[in-house]
Amino acid sequence: MTATLLAGLLGGVIAAGITLAGVLITNRWRLAEENVIKQRAEWRGAVRLLISEAVNIENEKDARRIWAEIALRMNPDEDPKKDDAELVALVRDLSREENRTDDRRERIVNLAAHILKHDWTRAKWEAQGWFWEEEPEQTRCPGERRI
């Protein structure tokens, strides 16, 4: 009887420990996920604002400031297969008045929209929690590369 009681208590303690560990891990993962999702939503909002400012640049000082802010958010050297480097280069070139053309501004908007769409798709994939499905791959934005 004592052995049965001891085995029952030991089993209960082990089960409680496993349950507690599971709850703590799940809670920590959920908090981290919420923070990442919130930060990425703020990132997308900031990029949208910067792009709307970039296509309306009228002077060199604003162009340099917006270029620096976009470059810091985009990580243009991270992966040459992404649109980030082209977007940053196009915004950088807006510091010269002759580069402030409608075609260049349209390309900037198209690149940014493509980057933001990919990030939104990735955020939805992450929120679903189906990690056995492959992460959405970012493709290059269609259109002529102008770097």
Side-chain angles (χ1 to χ4, degrees):
M1 170 136 157
T2 308
T4 305
L5 182 62
L6 185 59
L9 286 173
L10 185 59
V13 168
I14 291 172
I18 291 171
T19 301
L20 178 62
V23 167
L24 291 174
I25 290 169
T26 301
N27 193 33
R28 182 178 173 116
W29 178 77
R30 186 175 300 127
L31 287 172
E33 181 183 62
E34 288 173 6
N35 286 330
V36 168
I37 288 170
K38 181 181 176 186
Q39 289 296 317
R40 288 189 37 210
E42 290 175 8
W43 177 86
R44 285 190 301 273
V47 169
R48 280 187 197 97
L49 180 62
L50 286 168
I51 294 303
S52 68
E53 289 180 30
V55 297
N56 292 301
I57 286 175
E58 293 186 16
N59 62 60
E60 185 179 346
K61 182 180 176 185
D62 287 341
R64 285 194 315 262
R65 178 187 60 80
I66 292 169
W67 163 75
E69 289 187 39
I70 288 175
L72 291 171
R73 284 179 171 81
M74 288 293 157
N75 301 320
D77 299 326
E78 184 179 279
D79 187 350
K81 295 178 184 175
K82 294 183 179 178
D83 295 320
D84 300 28
E86 182 181 359
L87 176 66
V88 170
L90 288 170
V91 172
R92 180 193 61 225
D93 292 343
L94 291 174
S95 63
R96 294 193 313 271
E97 189 172 347
E98 65 270 11
N99 289 331
R100 295 182 204 140
T101 64
D102 289 341
D103 286 346
R104 183 175 294 264
R105 289 177 172 152
E106 184 178 338
R107 182 68 179 159
I108 288 169
V109 169
N110 288 338
L111 285 167
H114 194 257
I115 290 167
L116 292 169
K117 174 62 176 169
H118 169 72
D119 189 70
W120 174 244
T121 301
R122 192 177 73 181
K124 289 189 299 185
W125 170 80
E126 289 174 351
Q128 289 175 345
W130 305 115
F131 293 110
W132 54 84
E133 289 184 20
E134 195 171 320
E135 180 178 359
E137 184 177 330
Q138 183 172 357
T139 59
R140 292 284 300 156
C141 182
E144 181 182 333
R145 289 194 67 195
R146 300 180 185 174
I147 294 181

